[in-house]
Amino acid sequence: MRRTVRFLLNDREFSLEGFDPTLTLLDWLRNERRLVGTKEGCAEGDCGACTVLIGRLRNRELRYEAINACIRFVATLDACHIVTVEHLKKASGGLHPVQQAMVELHGSQCGFCTPGIVMSLTALWLGAAQAPSRERIEEALAGNLCRCTGYGPIISALDRAYEIEASSADSLNVGRAEVARKLAGLADREVIEISEGGRRLFAPATADQFAELTAAHPDATLVAGATDVGLWITKMLMRPATVIALGRIGELDRIEDKGDHLVIGALVSVSDARAALGGLDPQIDELIRRFGSEQVRNAGTIGGNVANGSPIGDSPPVLIALGASVILRRGSERRTVPLEQFFIAYKKQDRQPGDFVEALIVPKPRPGTLFHVSKISKRFDEDISAVCAAFRLERDEAGLTTNAVLAFGGMAATPKRAAAAEAALAGRAFDAQAAEAAALALASDFKPLDDWRASARYRSTVAANLIRRFQAETATGSVHRVAGILRSDAHA
Ligand SMILES: Cc1cc2nc3c(=O)[nH]c(=O)nc-3n(C[C@H](O)[C@H](O)[C@H](O)COP(=O)(O)OP(=O)(O)OC[C@H]3O[C@@H](n4cnc5c(N)ncnc54)[C@H](O)[C@@H]3O)c2cc1C
Ligand code: FES
Ligand code: FES
């Protein structure tokens, strides 16, 4: 057992012990290190003012990613390299090329958002030898809110940074091998325990250690990327007595392609899952692009999205439509549950104390399968779904439907299939009449919630229209997109 968390912060190594187990990285940076370039805007992962880079070794390769420091616990950053805006200053004392470009192009006014924006742009810059496309830059900035400047100059600043200097000359890129060597030296297989005032956090390094800890502490709060749990601390002011963090368990952070299915470890980030799941259908790629922001997707995990069991989580409808199952583990015992059966009632899953989500098994759609995904939300970027829908339809040689799976989020207390609507499609051609019958049958499948995100009537109307749309797209052979905006026009 190790009682310290060890990491690099900018150019210094730290070894911390005996501190609040759920102390956020933002509070530690600002209050204890006085690194106040990293700002606090919302403390809930929305505004991006707190964006920092986290460097981690993945398959021995050092990768820097932008994350939100406000909802990340320091105790979960063992063997990481934390990079704050202060570290971008050149050895000569001059500005970093991204900062210089922001100055030249007037990309900053009040300046509150600027360090976060610089860090998001720097994450892109470090990973690409040439300026990324405008679309890619916009995507990377979706989690950085600027209330005064306007995004035009900010987006152009990245192109200008490449004119000022090659990104390969950045000291973080030049120093990669040295940092990777140091991080490898910090990583070990000891369980970490951080405690203070009777509260504690365990960070196991292997799935076996994790299984032992969850069996010994069945009431512990599990945390992966903390993009849900972080808000329980910062917004709901919860103070869990025991936390078990999964972040160091490399074996849960793997994607295996088994030919006809994928096995996705619970700890795979939403960003990495996008690469694998998006390859199955471009609509899934677009859906995940609209999942939170780049910072949220880099930290949040696919296992956390499923385990959280939110009725408006974005991955469950797609995974249910694909026919996914979840592998649950307790100690050395494992059981596999079809995902649609995992969600029992509002925030109640088929998980016994001590169970954890180990992986997801995701079948690949067979050739000829019809597939449809929609996310309906008030904003295009960084918004939770009002309704999320994923449909899979298989037909025989005569064109008759042999299997229809219509999965919805936002329509019930859990992510759920529409059994009556599916039955209305079975055994017949998928034509306008069949779609209409299914759309009408939805009324007996769901009594959706009325809340500030959307009224029940709105949700019911949209859900029925999505089935009609699926059929219309199938009939015309087109996946309807408006200027790359996936169905955000389907607001009624
Ligand atoms: C600004 C913002 C935007 C967001 N946008 C979206 C969005 O568009 N769509 C969406 O679906 N979600 C969104 N989320 C929610 C969140 O990002 C996702 O639910 C994410 O996938 C959670 O993963 P995590 O690793 O951060 O989970 P954590 O916060 O670490 O954990 C979430 C829950 O899962 C449990 N848990 C985690 N891993 C396991 C495991 N392996 N076994 C058992 N239990 C486990 C935890 O105990 C907790 O109950 C957003 C969050 C924020 C802050
Ligand atoms: S302070 Fe707003 S995202 Fe962290
Ligand atoms: S410059 Fe003021 S918030 Fe962006």
Side-chain angles (χ1 to χ4, degrees):
M1 184 82 79
R2 169 151 65 88
R3 297 190 187 279
T4 55
V5 168
R6 306 178 304 204
F7 52 77
L8 303 178
L9 167 65
N10 297 334
D11 51 7
R12 266 187 69 187
E13 187 176 323
F14 282 81
S15 176
L16 305 182
E17 70 175 298
F19 58 96
D20 176 349
T22 52
L23 174 69
T24 64
L25 175 58
L26 181 67
D27 282 349
W28 184 70
L29 289 173
R30 289 183 61 85
N31 300 338
E32 297 188 29
R33 304 305 323 152
R34 307 305 297 163
L35 291 173
V36 293
T38 309
K39 306 293 183 210
E40 179 171 33
C42 63
E44 59 182 51
D46 268 315
C47 74
C50 65
T51 303
V52 296
L53 303 187
I54 298 295
R56 282 174 54 201
L57 285 179
R58 302 246 173 88
N59 299 325
R60 301 208 188 108
E61 199 185 312
L62 177 61
R63 213 203 294 176
Y64 286 102
E65 291 178 327
I67 67 146
N68 297 122
C70 64
I71 48 174
R72 187 62 183 240
F73 308 145
V74 180
T76 64
L77 291 169
D78 196 66
C80 291
H81 184 198
I82 303 160
V83 181
T84 67
V85 70
E86 288 82 0
H87 193 54
L88 299 191
K89 189 162 73 176
K90 296 208 139 212
S92 62
L95 292 175
H96 185 276
V98 171
Q99 293 172 313
Q100 181 62 38
M102 286 280 283
V103 172
E104 287 179 19
L105 296 184
H106 307 288
S108 177
Q109 289 189 28
C110 82
F112 192 81
C113 69
T114 307
I117 284 183
V118 164
M119 296 312 281
S120 287
L121 291 178
T122 301
L124 272 184
W125 149 272
L126 288 175
Q130 288 175 344
S133 66
R134 186 184 170 98
E135 191 187 17
R136 178 70 191 101
I137 301 173
E138 285 177 3
E139 194 178 305
L141 288 176
N144 291 89
L145 303 186
C146 175
R147 64 182 180 171
C148 20
T149 301
Y151 287 82
I154 296 171
I155 291 167
S156 302
L158 193 58
D159 288 337
R160 173 69 190 127
Y162 281 89
E163 290 166 10
I164 297 172
E165 189 177 286
S167 63
S168 55
D170 189 297
S171 60
L172 282 168
N173 273 338
V174 173
R176 267 176 195 271
E178 178 61 8
V179 170
R181 191 187 58 72
K182 286 185 183 163
L183 295 185
L186 294 178
D188 64 16
R189 291 169 80 83
E190 291 282 324
V191 174
I192 296 173
E193 181 182 346
I194 297 297
S195 58
E196 188 186 72
R199 297 174 56 226
R200 60 201 168 162
L201 178 144
F202 296 103
T206 67
D208 284 337
Q209 292 168 348
F210 182 57
E212 269 175 42
L213 282 165
T214 46
H217 305 278
D219 296 331
T221 298
L222 305 185
V223 64
T227 60
D228 284 311
V229 175
L231 279 74
W232 305 353
I233 308 299
T234 62
K235 295 288 151 170
M236 295 159 75
L237 308 183
M238 285 165 59
R239 294 290 175 266
T242 307
V243 177
I244 304 177
L246 292 88
R248 297 172 66 221
I249 309 173
E251 56 206 283
L252 299 186
D253 187 6
R254 265 188 221 141
I255 301 177
E256 292 174 85
D257 190 333
K258 302 277 194 186
D260 63 350
H261 66 276
L262 301 170
V263 180
I264 305 182
L267 210 55
V268 169
S269 70
V270 176
S271 293
D272 288 349
R274 176 179 172 186
L277 293 171
L280 302 182
D281 189 292
Q283 298 174 88
I284 305 179
D285 180 70
E286 190 94 16
L287 172 80
I288 304 181
R289 182 197 157 188
R290 294 183 52 199
F291 184 122
S293 60
E294 188 114 334
Q295 292 94 322
V296 168
R297 294 191 293 271
N298 288 340
T301 63
I302 196 80
N305 199 232
V306 166
N308 194 39
S310 164
I312 46 174
D314 280 334
S315 73
V318 168
L319 292 169
I320 290 174
L322 288 167
S325 305
V326 54
I327 303 177
L328 294 162
R329 179 166 169 188
R330 185 185 336 166
S332 57
E333 285 170 31
R334 288 180 175 84
R335 67 196 167 98
T336 302
V337 180
L339 191 57
E340 64 207 64
Q341 291 170 22
F342 179 63
F343 303 111
I344 299 172
Y346 180 67
K347 294 259 178 177
K348 181 170 167 27
Q349 290 83 287
D350 180 7
R351 257 182 70 205
Q352 305 304 318
D355 277 354
F356 69 93
V357 174
E358 189 173 49
L360 292 157
I361 301 172
V362 185
K364 296 181 185 174
R366 281 197 283 257
T369 299
L370 300 177
F371 204 71
H372 173 103
V373 184
S374 286
K375 171 169 177 164
I376 309 297
S377 56
K378 289 190 172 177
R379 285 193 315 252
F380 179 72
D381 283 314
E382 212 178 12
D383 201 3
I384 303 286
S385 297
V387 176
C388 188
F391 309 146
R392 175 168 61 95
L393 205 118
E394 289 166 337
R395 294 178 295 180
D396 63 16
E397 285 173 3
L400 305 182
T401 299
T402 52
N403 186 23
V405 183
L406 308 180
F408 286 91
M411 293 294 291
T414 60
K416 199 166 169 273
R417 284 174 67 172
E422 289 174 5
L425 296 177
R428 57 192 290 192
F430 186 42
D431 53 19
Q433 290 74 27
E436 196 53 35
L440 294 176
L442 269 187
S444 59
D445 280 316
F446 299 122
K447 298 273 171 286
L449 199 68
D450 239 332
D451 67 7
W452 54 269
R453 215 179 286 284
S455 66
R457 185 163 157 264
Y458 175 89
R459 287 188 158 103
S460 297
T461 307
V462 162
N465 283 347
L466 290 175
I467 297 178
R468 296 182 183 109
R469 183 174 203 162
F470 177 34
Q471 191 279 324
E473 285 173 1
T474 304
T476 57
S478 70
V479 173
H480 177 71
R481 282 162 204 265
V482 181
I485 298 175
L486 182 76
R487 300 189 178 89
S488 58
D489 59 326
H491 271 286

